[in-house]
């Protein structure tokens, strides 16, 4: 089954509303053509979502949040609920990013609760997994990915999975300039696909898009996307400049 590429910008804690508007103004021209071969998503910080939402409304570029609460409303200081993202036309939400896992202590179980909450609210999770260098060097790659996939995607149906994008981001490649080689990435992606097959069956495994993340740049996006099981990218640093993100996507679809 042909899987359409999906490339998403994860801006992390960068760009307030003014910079967001400036970026979108320079980024949008030319995206219609790129979007024939690739779904394009931008994930600004929460406070910049209203600005992004109005500027992206008539465009082919989808809007994502970087996180969401597992609760609906109430006394949860600092949290943002799914219905608030719905109100702003947000379509995706990044969940389980390694920075949320390692800096803010999010567990597989907690991430799983957010995955369920998001799906109930028609938000598509971009569900992140990935091992640290220590885990990889200690021979624990498969064990870690297995735990993250089975825990984070627990109790989902095959139907739910149609709305889930998986992002494999080896922690040692995030923001370091060290990219996994296309072989390393392909090998991990094929393994993740085999886990999806065990958990949800072969149809879901064949249809689910698995992004690679970790120092993806205009210069390496093509060789990564050319591999069989790599269906897109989740991009940090190289998505912060419109020209660089544009070029990265253009190279990937070429
Ligand atoms: P970099 O592209 O800056 O390595 O970040 C990857 C990432 O964490 C995207 O979610």
């Amino acid at each position: 089954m042909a899987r359409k590429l999906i490339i998403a910008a994860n801006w992390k804690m960068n760009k307030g509303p003014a910079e967001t508007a400036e970026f979108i103004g320079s980024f949008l021209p030319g995206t219609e053509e790129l979007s024939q071969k690739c779904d394009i998503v931008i994930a600004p910080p929460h406070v910049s979502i209203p600005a992004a939402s109005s500027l992206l409304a008539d465009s082919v570029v989808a809007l994502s949040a970087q996180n969401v609460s597992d609760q609906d409303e109430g006394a949860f200081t600092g949290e943002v609920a799914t219905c608030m993202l719905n109100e702003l036309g947000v379509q995706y939400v990044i969940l389980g990013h390694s920075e949320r896992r390692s800096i803010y202590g999010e567990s597989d179980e907690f991430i799983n609760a957010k995955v369920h909450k998001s799906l109930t609210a028609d938000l598509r999770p971009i569900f992140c997994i990935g091992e640290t260098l220590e885990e990889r060097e200690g021979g624990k790659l498969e064990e870690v990915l297995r735990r993250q996939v089975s825990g984070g995607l627990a109790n989902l149906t095959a139907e739910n999975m149609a709305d889930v994008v998986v992002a494999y981001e080896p922690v040692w490649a995030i923001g370091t300039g060290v990219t996994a080689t296309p072989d390393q990435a392909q090998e991990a992606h094929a393994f993740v696909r085999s886990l999806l097959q065990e958990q949800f069956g072969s149809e879901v495994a064949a249809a689910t898009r698995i992004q690679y993340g970790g120092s993806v740049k205009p210069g390496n996006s093509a060789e990564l996307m050319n591999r069989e099981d790599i269906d897109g990218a989740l991009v940090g640093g190289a998505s912060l400049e419109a020209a660089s993100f544009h070029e990265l996507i253009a190279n990937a679809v070429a």
Side-chain angles (χ1 to χ4, degrees), residues 38-58:
C38 179
D39 289 337
I40 305 169
V41 182
I42 293 179
H46 283 326
V47 296
S48 300
I49 288 178
S53 178
S54 52
L55 292 165
L56 295 178
D58 295 319

Side-chain angles (χ1 to χ4, degrees), residues 2-232:
R3 293 178 295 265
K4 189 177 184 190
L5 288 178
I6 175 165
I7 298 187
N10 175 12
W11 286 350
K12 310 190 180 186
M13 201 169 72
N14 295 289
K15 296 193 193 294
E19 276 186 72
T20 295
E22 196 181 318
F23 177 103
I24 292 173
S26 16
F27 179 69
L28 280 184
T31 47
E32 257 179 55
E33 196 186 331
L34 296 176
S35 73
Q36 320 228 320
K37 292 192 186 158
C38 179
D39 289 337
I40 305 169
V41 182
I42 293 179
H46 283 326
V47 296
S48 300
I49 288 178
S53 178
S54 52
L55 292 165
L56 295 178
D58 295 319
S59 81
V60 293
V61 178
L63 185 55
S64 175
Q66 296 176 17
N67 190 18
V68 76
S69 174
D70 65 326
Q71 302 293 323
D72 287 324
E73 64 175 351
F76 303 101
T77 302
E79 292 291 295
V80 166
T82 51
C83 63
M84 301 170 188
L85 299 180
N86 287 150
E87 205 176 321
L88 292 167
V90 174
Q91 292 143 280
Y92 293 86
V93 59
I94 298 173
L95 296 175
H97 191 278
S98 72
E99 288 146 22
R100 303 286 332 160
R101 291 176 188 265
S102 68
I103 306 172
Y104 300 100
E106 294 195 6
S107 66
D108 294 313
E109 196 183 2
F110 186 51
I111 295 159
N112 182 243
K114 295 185 186 205
V115 169
H116 281 273
K117 184 59 73 184
S118 300
L119 288 167
T120 308
D122 284 331
L123 290 168
R124 301 176 183 192
I126 296 177
F127 167 70
C128 306
I129 54 175
E131 82 289 0
T132 62
L133 187 58
E134 196 183 3
E135 288 163 342
R136 176 174 275 262
E137 289 181 342
K140 296 218 163 96
L141 171 63
E142 297 196 349
E143 180 187 322
V144 169
L145 295 179
R146 182 179 293 278
R147 191 201 70 228
Q148 292 174 335
V149 169
S150 66
L153 300 180
N155 301 314
L156 294 186
T157 62
E159 203 184 359
N160 288 149
M161 284 302 292
D163 290 324
V164 175
V165 175
V166 176
Y168 168 66
E169 300 202 301
V171 178
W172 46 272
I174 295 178
T176 57
V178 181
T179 319
T181 64
D183 281 348
Q184 282 175 320
Q186 165 57 29
E187 197 180 336
H189 280 229
F191 179 69
V192 171
R193 207 175 292 290
S194 78
L195 294 174
L196 296 176
Q197 176 159 0
E198 279 175 36
Q199 201 164 330
F200 300 103
S202 44
E203 248 179 68
V204 168
T208 304
R209 294 184 289 183
I210 307 177
Q211 297 174 314
Y212 168 79
S215 300
V216 181
K217 308 178 259 272
N220 61 21
S221 59
E223 57 175 6
L224 286 160
M225 298 311 115
N226 278 337
R227 304 309 293 262
E228 191 184 341
D229 289 294
I230 304 181
D231 310 311

